[in-house]
């Protein structure tokens, strides 16, 4: 009985994950947009600002690449939360909740789909960036970036689930997402290094979890970082655990209403 119960829970997670993957695969405009926009930022901004900025670690466009990958993971993970609003609006969420499994596994299945989407986008961006001339340290370091993307995605999908559990409209979610993403990106090291930051700006930069995710990617891809890799990994792991806990509880309380 216990074995069949575990199998049912795993099947629930897999089914929800597969549903998110099929939805992502069928949305070609979403795939193209999720890759084209970050690459546009990388090529245009990287080339333009690279002509005016000098970094100790090398070319600015190389420095910017991990930040663009981190930005993509942030957007994709938060967008994963909007599927909860869609499912709640069209009644699919109620059908899921009648299954004799813990709601934790329902939230886990939704999170797994969002994290996988974010990892796919981040990995594709990393590969395409290398093809267009971004100079990475080695292919082995690139492979080590995948678990970092996974951990970052878990943290931000937890945030997305939390927001989606509290907000009932697509418009409200989009506004809140915009309110969160742009300050998060601009107060991280996605586009500029920590060195020579104004005192007031260094505080939010050091408190921003995206900073540590980007710095971990930058250490792996470029062997250059303003933050020790152990600290970066510790922060994003703690952030992922905390946000997944908060997200699962928010989801659980939202479906009870």
């Amino acid at each position: 009985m216990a074995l069949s119960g575990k199998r049912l829970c795993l099947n629930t997670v897999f089914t929800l994950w597969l549903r998110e993957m099929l939805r992502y695969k069928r949305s070609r405009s979403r795939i193209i947009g999720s890759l084209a926009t970050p690459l546009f930022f990388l090529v245009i901004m990287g080339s333009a600002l690279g002509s005016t900025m000098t970094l100790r670690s090398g070319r600015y466009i190389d420095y910017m690449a991990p930040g663009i990958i981190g930005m993509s993971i942030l957007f994709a993970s938060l967008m994963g939360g909007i599927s909860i609003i869609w499912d709640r609006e069209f009644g699919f969420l109620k059908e899921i909740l009648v299954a004799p499994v813990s709601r934790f596994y329902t939230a886990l299945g939704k999170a797994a789909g969002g994290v996988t989407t974010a990892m796919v986008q981040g990995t594709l961006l990393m590969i395409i960036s290398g093809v267009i001339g971004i100079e990475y340290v080695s292919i082995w370091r690139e492979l080590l970036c995948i678990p970092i993307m996974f951990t970052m995605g878990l943290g931000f999908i937890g945030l997305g689930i939390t927001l989606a559990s509290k907000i009932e409209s697509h418009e409200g979610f989009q506004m809140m997402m915009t309110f969160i993403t742009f300050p998060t990106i601009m107060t991280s090291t996605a586009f500029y290094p920590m060195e020579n930051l104004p005192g007031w700006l260094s505080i939010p930069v050091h408190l921003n979890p995206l900073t540590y995710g980007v710095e971990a990617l930058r250490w792996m891809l470029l062997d250059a970082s303003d933050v020790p890799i152990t600290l970066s990994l510790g922060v994003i792991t703690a952030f992922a655990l905390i946000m997944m806990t908060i997200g699962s509880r928010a989801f659980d309380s939202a479906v009870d209403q």
Side-chain angles (χ1 to χ4, degrees), residues 68-79:
I68 293 296
I69 296 171
M71 181 182 74
S72 176
I73 294 171
L74 170 66
F75 274 107
S77 298
L78 288 180
M79 280 299 295

Side-chain angles (χ1 to χ4, degrees), residues 30-50:
R30 178 183 173 187
I31 296 174
I32 294 173
S34 66
L35 296 176
T37 302
L39 287 174
F40 175 83
F41 270 90
L42 179 63
V43 174
I44 302 300
M45 289 186 60
S47 300
L49 295 178

Side-chain angles (χ1 to χ4, degrees), residues 218-253:
R218 189 166 284 137
W219 188 88
M220 289 294 178
L221 295 174
L222 306 177
D223 201 22
S225 175
D226 292 329
V227 180
I229 185 61
T230 51
L231 176 59
S232 295
L233 294 177
V235 170
I236 61 176
T237 301
F239 176 69
L241 293 173
I242 292 171
M243 291 313 306
M244 283 302 298
T245 301
I246 295 174
S248 62
R249 291 181 178 177
F251 179 82
D252 192 37
S253 62

Side-chain angles (χ1 to χ4, degrees), residues 77-89 93 97 103 106-108 110-111 156-170 172-174 176 243-257:
S77 298
L78 288 180
M79 280 299 295
I82 204 170
S83 65
I84 293 177
I85 298 178
W86 279 104
D87 292 343
R88 183 169 55 203
E89 184 173 314
L93 192 59
L97 295 175
R103 291 167 181 170
T106 302
L108 183 61
K110 304 291 286 184
F156 291 118
I157 192 65
L159 177 58
I161 291 174
T162 303
L163 293 176
S165 299
K166 302 297 183 181
I167 301 172
E168 297 186 358
S169 67
H170 299 93
F173 184 87
Q174 292 283 3
M176 183 58 66
M243 291 313 306
M244 283 302 298
T245 301
I246 295 174
S248 62
R249 291 181 178 177
F251 179 82
D252 192 37
S253 62
V255 296
D256 283 332
Q257 298 176 357

Side-chain angles (χ1 to χ4, degrees), residues 194-206:
M194 286 185 176
E195 59 188 47
N196 299 325
L197 284 178
W200 65 270
L201 184 57
S202 64
I203 296 175
V205 168
H206 281 86

Side-chain angles (χ1 to χ4, degrees), residues 136-156:
Y136 297 141
V137 173
S138 71
I139 190 172
W140 303 112
R141 289 285 193 96
E142 293 180 53
L143 292 175
L144 290 174
C145 285
I146 295 177
I148 295 176
M149 295 180 196
F150 173 78
T151 308
M152 292 174 64
L154 277 180
F156 291 118

